[in-house]
Amino acid sequence: MAVLDEPEATADAAGLTTGAVARRLGVSPTTLRSWDRRYGLGPAVRAEGRHRRWSPADIAMVEEMCRLTSAGAPPAEAARVARLRHHPTTPPTDPASPRASTPPAPPRADGDVDGEAEDAADPGATDPRPEPEPEPEPRPPARRGGAGGGLPLGGDVRQECRGLARAAVRLDAPELEQRLLDAVDRHGLVVAWEEVMVPTLRAVGRKWESSGDRYVEVEHLLSWHISSTLRGVPFLFPRRDPVTGAAPVVLACTPGEQHSLPLEVLTAALAERGLPTRTLGAAVPTEALLACVRRTGPAAVVLWAQTRSTASLPLARHVAGLEWGTAGARRRPTVLPAGPGWDRRASAGFPRCSGLREAVDTLGRLCEDGARPPARGH
């Protein structure tokens, strides 16, 4: 068997052509060329005067890209993570300046321009790649202060808020996406949410309220990209292994409540901890919520209300009174009212959390307790 494996091992050691890599991954050579031009996901090294060959590390990088995009991650986010994991010193490619627009390599002595003859023989060959750019200098630590695109951010906010606000006001979607990912990567999800995303969202809201329906498009674009980033976090950043046997957490907005971003960040934070969730989103009808609780048997139910008009103490009590399981081993969910709509009177008798981190810790304990067999009655 070692003799049979030797040619493939020799080919892998020498590097594979683009066509061979495409066949191995089940994608088209055109897709690989596009990823190379747009995101810098190409061979890291090319010998002088030779056609490019994909090393095992290069192939692992595009395999990671395939896995992340198949899992639903946006291509730009998936490419960034794949590049960081397998070629961390390779600078990213600016999508606005594709490699295809760079000048061609000088002709070789035999008249073949950078392997054109081999390109014709191998349809999987990629376009010429320029010399690698110098490695960028390390980013400075987060600073506070500075302009925020005219949004009322206040003085004591992270510098990332300023850049995020400017990108939002310009409706610069690629910049928004990159800045949000950088914030999560640098600070972690909890800090990125509480100290970067929330202050910027509040500033946009204040600007909208004071500008007579202007800046609505800014708030919608920013909210959409924050939601997209939160949904990609479990795929793009490290997370713990799933907690075996843990009961899920049901997360729902109360009937009539449309603000669901806080539930999305809580869902992402719980996923980082390996905790199962069932997130129902905005304005969940009462009957749908009750049916979900009965069918899933959750350890906890989070009810989000942004305003007092959508907070419902009778609903919270009704959910808390649901039971399931066999006689002598009945279970009930812990109901966690969340959001500024729940004042002390509206949430009387229920646990409350002061922020995202405390909510994740509380729900983590409840899920782990729910993974243990309940004590049987006598």
Side-chain angles (χ1 to χ4, degrees):
M1 293 300 295
V3 175
L4 293 176
D5 292 341
E6 185 175 350
E8 183 177 354
T10 302
D12 285 349
L16 297 179
T17 65
T18 299
V21 174
R23 289 189 293 272
R24 171 177 289 194
L25 299 180
V27 301
S28 70
T30 301
T31 297
L32 292 179
R33 287 195 292 268
S34 174
W35 288 351
D36 187 11
R37 289 194 301 268
R38 293 183 180 183
Y39 310 120
L41 300 184
V45 178
R46 179 180 61 182
E48 182 67 26
R50 291 183 55 197
H51 186 65
R52 280 178 295 165
R53 300 281 174 166
W54 295 71
S55 70
D58 299 329
I59 296 171
M61 179 174 61
V62 290
E63 284 178 337
E64 182 83 0
M65 177 71 169
C66 291
R67 184 185 70 81
L68 292 171
T69 53
S70 297
E77 299 176 18
R80 176 179 175 275
V81 172
R83 196 169 51 244
L84 285 174
R85 289 179 179 174
H86 298 281
H87 286 317
T89 60
T90 302
T93 298
D94 183 359
S97 303
R99 287 184 173 147
S101 64
T102 57
R108 286 168 25 186
D110 58 3
D112 183 16
V113 179
D114 198 26
E116 284 184 355
E118 187 173 355
D119 284 359
D122 181 7
T126 60
D127 295 333
R129 179 189 179 109
E131 291 297 320
E133 298 176 8
E135 183 177 350
E137 296 181 0
R139 291 176 297 183
R143 295 179 291 114
R144 298 180 182 268
L151 298 182
L153 283 166
D156 189 23
V157 295
R158 288 185 177 273
Q159 183 68 16
E160 289 95 336
C161 296
R162 310 291 181 183
L164 192 62
R166 288 193 296 269
V169 170
R170 295 196 307 267
L171 303 180
D172 188 340
E175 183 72 8
L176 278 175
E177 178 181 308
Q178 190 62 54
R179 287 185 176 275
L180 288 166
L181 284 171
D182 286 345
V184 176
D185 188 29
R186 174 180 290 180
H187 303 296
L189 180 59
V190 174
V191 173
W193 168 255
E194 294 181 340
E195 300 187 20
V196 179
M197 300 179 195
V198 169
T200 309
L201 280 168
R202 287 175 177 169
V204 173
R206 289 193 294 267
K207 189 70 172 180
W208 172 29
E209 292 174 355
S210 63
S211 302
D213 289 338
R214 293 179 57 205
Y215 291 89
V216 175
E217 71 283 4
V218 175
E219 182 182 35
H220 280 242
L221 185 69
L222 177 60
S223 298
W224 191 93
H225 277 281
I226 289 176
S227 176
S228 177
T229 300
L230 295 175
R231 292 176 187 231
V233 163
F235 303 108
L236 300 175
F237 297 96
R239 57 177 172 173
R240 299 180 189 175
D241 293 333
V243 178
T244 304
V249 176
V250 170
L251 302 101
C253 289
T254 55
E257 179 56 65
Q258 298 292 338
H259 296 81
S260 61
L261 270 182
L263 292 186
E264 293 184 35
V265 70
L266 183 53
T267 300
L270 292 172
E272 282 189 326
R273 295 272 293 265
L275 300 174
T277 59
R278 304 292 184 270
T279 303
L280 304 182
V284 180
T286 298
E287 288 304 318
L289 172 62
L290 299 179
C292 179
V293 172
R294 293 191 187 101
R295 294 178 61 186
T296 61
V301 178
V302 178
L303 297 177
W304 179 267
Q306 185 74 18
T307 63
R308 291 184 181 181
S309 62
T310 58
S312 172
L313 183 57
L315 174 62
R317 288 174 174 169
H318 191 170
V319 174
L322 296 178
E323 291 185 340
W324 57 86
T326 59
R330 305 288 284 177
R331 293 182 184 271
R332 289 185 177 184
T334 298
V335 174
L336 190 68
W342 298 94
D343 56 22
R344 291 185 178 180
R345 189 175 71 173
S347 60
F350 293 97
R352 293 297 307 274
C353 295
S354 60
L356 177 59
R357 192 182 303 278
E358 185 180 350
V360 173
D361 291 340
T362 299
L363 293 170
R365 289 192 296 270
L366 291 171
C367 285
E368 291 167 2
D369 290 343
R372 305 188 187 100
R376 294 186 173 274
H378 296 285

